[in-house]
Amino acid sequence: ASLKMKIDEGATSIEALTGDLDTAREEIAQMESSEQELKSQLGKEQETIKALQQDKAGMLEEKVEMQSEIDRLQSMNEEKDVALTEAANLIAEVENVVQEEKESNVELREQLKAAADEIVKLKADNAENLAKAAADIANREKTIEVGQTTISSLQENLDTSEEEITKLQSAEKK
C-alpha cells in the first residue's frame, strides 16, 4: 500500500511537473513573441529618432541662418539710423536755409515731407522685419525644444525596451 501511494504521489508529481513544463513553454513562446514585437518597435523608434535627429540638424541650420539674417537686418538698421540722423541733420539745415531766406517754396516742403515720411516708413518696415525674424527664431526654438523632448522620450523608451529585452533574454537562458 505504501509503494502504491508513493507511485500515485510520483504520478501526481509528474503530472504537475508536466503541467508546469507546458505552462513554462507557453510563457517562453509568449516571451519570444513579445521580444519580436519589442525588437520591431525598437527598430521603428530608432528610425524615428534618426529622423528627428535629422530634423533637429536642419532646424539648427535654419536657426543659424535666421540669426545671420537678424544680424544682417540689425546692421542694416544701424546703417539706416545713421542715414536717418544724417537725413534729419540735412532736413534741419534745409529748413534753416528756407527760414533764413524766407522762401515759401511749397514743392520743396512737399519733397522734404515725403523724404521724412519715407524715412519713417523705412524705419517702421525695418522694425517689423526684425520683429518677424525674432518671432520666427522663437518658433524654431520651440520646435527644436519639442523635437528634443520627443528624442528624450524615445531614448527613454529605447532604454526601457533594451532593459526588457535583456531581462527576457536572461530569463530565456535560465
Side-chain angles (χ1 to χ4, degrees), residues 3 34 104 166:
L3 181 61
S34 293
S104 59
T166 301

Side-chain angles (χ1 to χ4, degrees), residues 57-117:
M59 286 180 199
L60 289 175
E61 287 178 24
E62 288 179 21
K63 180 181 177 184
V64 168
E65 290 172 9
M66 291 297 254
Q67 186 60 50
S68 175
E69 183 65 14
I70 286 173
D71 292 344
R72 188 184 68 77
L73 289 172
Q74 287 174 334
S75 175
M76 285 175 53
N77 191 36
E78 291 169 3
E79 292 171 7
K80 287 180 182 179
D81 284 345
V82 169
L84 287 174
T85 301
E86 291 173 1
N89 290 338
L90 287 174
I91 289 171
E93 288 177 27
V94 170
E95 286 176 347
N96 287 337
V97 169
V98 169
Q99 192 164 355
E100 287 173 8
E101 296 178 6
K102 295 185 180 186
E103 294 179 6
S104 59
N105 187 334
V106 174
E107 184 179 330
L108 181 57
R109 285 184 188 166
E110 289 175 359
Q111 289 175 355
L112 288 173
K113 183 174 181 341
D117 289 347

Side-chain angles (χ1 to χ4, degrees), residues 123-162:
K123 209 173 193 180
D125 288 348
N126 199 27
E128 182 180 328
N129 288 338
L130 284 172
K132 286 179 183 178
D136 285 346
I137 284 176
N139 286 337
R140 298 211 184 263
E141 287 175 341
K142 286 179 186 175
T143 302
I144 288 170
E145 287 176 21
V146 168
Q148 288 172 336
T149 300
T150 302
I151 287 170
S152 294
S153 175
L154 289 171
Q155 188 62 48
E156 288 175 16
N157 288 343
L158 177 62
D159 291 344
T160 301
S161 295
E162 287 174 350

